[in-house]
Amino acid sequence: MRIIAGQHKGRRLLGPKGTVTRPITDRVKTALFSILGPAVEAAAVVDLFSGTGSLGLEALSRGAASCRFAERDRSALDRLRRNIDAMALADRCTIWRGDVLRLLGRWLAGMDADVDLAFVDPPYLLARQRSAEELTARLFAPLAGRLSPDGTVVFRCESNIALPDAFGPLRVRDRRTYGKMALVFLEHELHE
């Protein structure tokens, strides 16, 4: 795992131990940030189910203003902290530790600014076992309440999972498939 572009281009990251997290490949990460383009610069980012922080750290390297990482796995959190320290980014990072589905609303309520970009990368099993209604209620509706008017949510899931056209107030703007993985881009329903 490494940073693809920006201030920390080429920096190696500590990857996950075991099978708790699924690192995103360089090819898919490059495609993702190419799609996001200049929206990353100066963005307030949230990286949910962040693992060791690959997406949020990439955003920071590309000029994001700040990133809040949310993870519950202790091993992943330890490696995330070490990656942040190695890149000297602690002043732009906040770590939320705990169950994202249970605590997200509280975490978001404590923020002093809206979210411009959110990465939602839950374990595939979680996304398969939860209904679209539950994911909406526990993830996407709270995010929509704090998402800036031009903000984007990127949902990483299995490519064969059936998804609705909208998760509450967030509608699917685009969906890209990369083998067994899909990136789903969500925005406010009224976004033009």
Side-chain angles (χ1 to χ4, degrees), residues 1-13 26 29-30 33 52-62 83 87 89:
M1 289 177 43
R2 65 189 176 99
I3 298 295
I4 303 295
Q7 178 184 2
H8 299 281
K9 180 180 179 179
R11 164 93 52 183
R12 294 238 172 251
L13 298 174
D26 285 355
K29 193 184 332 182
T30 298
F33 281 91
T52 59
S54 176
L55 292 176
L57 293 170
E58 183 74 34
L60 290 168
S61 179
R62 292 173 184 247
N83 284 334
M87 293 173 67
L89 292 172

Side-chain angles (χ1 to χ4, degrees), residues 90-163:
D91 61 326
R92 293 166 54 198
C93 298
T94 301
I95 297 175
W96 292 331
R97 179 180 172 194
D99 184 341
V100 174
L101 292 178
R102 192 171 54 81
L103 297 171
L104 181 60
R106 184 180 335 156
W107 289 333
L108 292 170
M111 289 179 57
D112 56 1
D114 284 340
V115 175
D116 300 307
L117 176 61
F119 299 113
V120 180
D121 189 8
Y124 284 167
L125 184 60
L126 183 146
R128 263 196 315 262
Q129 291 178 334
R130 308 296 173 123
S131 68
E133 293 79 16
E134 183 177 2
L135 290 175
T136 297
R138 296 179 133 201
L139 285 175
F140 298 113
L143 275 173
R146 288 311 306 259
L147 192 65
S148 64
D150 294 324
T152 300
V153 175
V154 181
F155 177 39
R156 181 178 173 207
C157 60
E158 289 175 299
S159 59
N160 63 357
I161 193 170
L163 297 175

Side-chain angles (χ1 to χ4, degrees), residues 157-177:
C157 60
E158 289 175 299
S159 59
N160 63 357
I161 193 170
L163 297 175
D165 292 333
F167 289 90
L170 298 176
R171 70 176 172 89
V172 175
R173 178 192 65 176
D174 193 6
R175 180 179 173 141
R176 306 286 177 103
T177 301

Side-chain angles (χ1 to χ4, degrees), residues 66-80:
S66 64
C67 187
R68 288 166 175 83
F69 298 90
E71 178 59 55
R72 74 182 301 173
D73 179 74
R74 282 194 169 123
S75 174
L77 284 164
D78 175 62
R79 288 171 173 256
L80 169 62

